[in-house]
Amino acid sequence: MQAVILVGGEGTRLRPLTFGTPKPMVPIVGVPFLARTLERLYEAGIRDVILPAGYMPQAITEYFGDGSRLDMKITYVIEDEPLGTAGAIKNVEKHITGPFFMMNGDVLTSLDLRAMIAYHQEKGGLGVLHLIKVEDPSSFGCVVHDESGRISQFIEKPPKGTEPTNEINAGTYLLDPKVLDFIPPGRNVSIERETFPRILADGQRLYAYTTEDYWIDVGRPEHYLTVHRDVLSGVMPLEVEPGISGAGAANADCANLIAPVHIGEGTMIAREARVGPNVVLGKNCRIAAGAAIEDSVLWDDVVVEEGATIEETIIASRSTIGANAKIGKGSVIGHDARVEPGTVAPEGSRIGPSAPIGAR
Ligand code: GTP
């Protein structure tokens, strides 16, 4: 079986991080997000992956190449213009040889893909959609189905209080190639808004596969931090040890590490710094004496100078936080940023480049 993973979005909600790193390459505990998805596909026996890309594609192609390092075959199809979620799969039609998984490239889930294949074989129809239940479905695509799982309706972002169900589209589909016949070529088409409703209107069957798996869309800064908390605490199982973990943990000379903390290779933390809980430090970071970091994710080569404080913040590679700077909760700092000593960045600050670095 094949899988098509959509990796062409601009990731506007993760800016300024995505000005320097496309969303699929944003690290989850030091490993590009897309690598996590490919691992899951590999575990389910899927080796043939098609990546419709468009935004900063070279960052993806350079890292994964033809896939042979992962014992997979990766085919890239680069869009000149964004084609949308359905347009992107129509554009890779010639590579599709049978039923295939289609996945949003920004979903982290513990969904059992083999079980979903078995469900599709049992139900038939043109496709199966993974659904999950959420408390507030009003900001998602709601999917209504009957007891047999057959889907009857799609309702995008219903106003609060009018939601017909709390089951939402979780962004993993198993599709029959006939779905491609419902997508007009050469233009931007949304699978959620246009193609799935058109399939239902034609009397064809789509089935819901509702599970209680871990599921999150990492495309928003607050979700990105939640994912890291969940991985560090073991709620989302990835190969991260509990407590103080990572290749840099052994040489971390810090009396004030508050678990869970993950420390990348080559990272140095001064003894008098306070780091944790829920902190991930990338490779070769330098954390100076008196600095305090809590509930935050720092990518590689980040320098935090004396006395700086950082809370609920994401900092991209090669940035420097000057001495005694205070970074307010919910801040996002892009690549190569320099926060001057003593700066007080209010909550929710966005600091960094204001335009893509080498994009499209
Ligand atoms: P935001 O701008 O923050 O909404 O992020 P996004 O651009 O990634 O959009 P969204 O989160 O809605 O996209 C869901 C998934 O579809 C992501 O994996 C995107 O990479 C992917 N995607 C969205 N639009 C396109 C497109 O036009 N082409 C391709 N190939 N992928 C897309």
Side-chain angles (χ1 to χ4, degrees), residues 6-13 23 52-53 79 82-85 88 104-106 219:
L6 299 182
V7 294
E10 294 193 11
T12 54
R13 290 165 299 169
K23 193 158 62 171
E79 296 160 26
L83 290 170
T85 45
N104 280 356
D106 51 3

Side-chain angles (χ1 to χ4, degrees), residues 220-282:
R220 300 188 207 177
E222 61 275 25
H223 290 183
Y224 182 75
L225 290 178
T226 302
V227 164
H228 281 85
R229 262 199 303 278
D230 290 345
V231 170
L232 290 177
S233 70
V235 169
M236 171 65 200
L238 287 182
E239 78 301 349
V240 175
E241 300 293 320
I244 309 296
S245 60
N251 56 355
D253 179 19
C254 179
N256 293 316
L257 287 179
I258 306 156
V261 173
H262 185 91
I263 306 168
E265 198 176 349
T267 283
M268 305 302 280
I269 306 172
R271 175 168 281 276
E272 304 80 6
R274 186 166 57 77
V275 175
N278 300 311
V279 170
V280 173
L281 304 175

